[in-house]
Amino acid sequence: FLSTRGFSGAAIGGTLALLPLASLLSAPAWAVLADRSRRGDRILQGVLAATVLAAGVVLVARGPLLLALAVAAFAAARSSVGPLLDAQVLRWLDERHGRGETYGRIRLFGSAGYLICGGLCAWAAEVSTAAPLLIGLVLWIAGLGLAFLLPASSPAPPSLVGPALRELGRQP
């Protein structure tokens, strides 16, 4: 996609390097914000909206600076979608059913969907280099819509990072 837009190998490498860098820097910040606000559901909706917006800009951006900023914004927003969604699902299941094996079945559908979408995007890339991005954008929009349909859960109890890390460190 980037090469069809006229980007050099170095520009493509630099742009793609923004994905893990922005994710690494932003994911902890989103987690802290969700913990402090006790409204992970609202943070999830916000990061999904930002992801959709940034993905749309990636599709239409022509200049390298705008594209780099859009890719960084996309990565920064997208980095916490999975963990925030998992936390919301676990909280909802815990309130209604107890975690048990129910979460595993939900996760199985997510993994199967990921594999199907990966195959669809690989096939679509043969048709058009922008097709996987369009498919991704449609799926992000659907995810945003579904985030507003998730069952309400009570605000999460406050989390203290220090005691949680000490507890984690004591476990084998």
Side-chain angles (χ1 to χ4, degrees):
F1 175 76
L2 294 176
S3 65
T4 62
R5 294 273 170 103
F7 285 79
S8 68
I12 292 171
T15 301
L16 293 179
L18 291 172
L19 289 166
L21 179 63
S23 295
L24 178 70
L25 297 175
S26 64
W30 289 120
V32 167
L33 184 60
D35 285 347
R36 299 264 188 228
S37 70
R38 299 178 58 199
R39 292 308 310 250
D41 55 344
R42 298 285 182 237
I43 303 299
L44 175 62
Q45 292 164 350
V47 296
L48 278 165
T51 300
V52 166
L53 179 63
V57 173
V58 166
L59 270 170
V60 299
R62 296 289 179 215
L65 181 59
L66 180 58
L67 183 69
L69 290 173
V71 166
F74 173 80
R78 176 200 54 97
S79 66
S80 348
V81 170
L84 287 171
L85 182 58
D86 282 346
Q88 288 305 116
V89 168
L90 285 170
R91 187 172 301 115
W92 182 77
L93 287 173
D94 202 31
E95 288 175 1
R96 286 158 182 82
H97 306 290
R99 290 184 186 169
E101 60 193 50
T102 307
Y103 177 72
R105 286 185 293 199
I106 290 172
R107 211 48 209 126
L108 175 65
F109 283 105
S111 296
Y114 180 81
L115 291 172
I116 291 168
C117 289
L120 176 64
C121 286
W123 170 80
E126 298 295 323
V127 176
S128 164
T129 58
L133 298 174
L134 287 169
I135 291 169
L137 181 59
V138 167
L139 292 172
W140 283 113
I141 292 169
L144 175 60
L146 291 172
F148 284 96
L149 297 176
L150 283 174
S153 61
S154 57
S159 298
L160 300 174
V161 174
L165 288 175
R166 283 190 291 281
E167 175 64 28
L168 182 64
R170 284 193 291 266
Q171 296 179 10

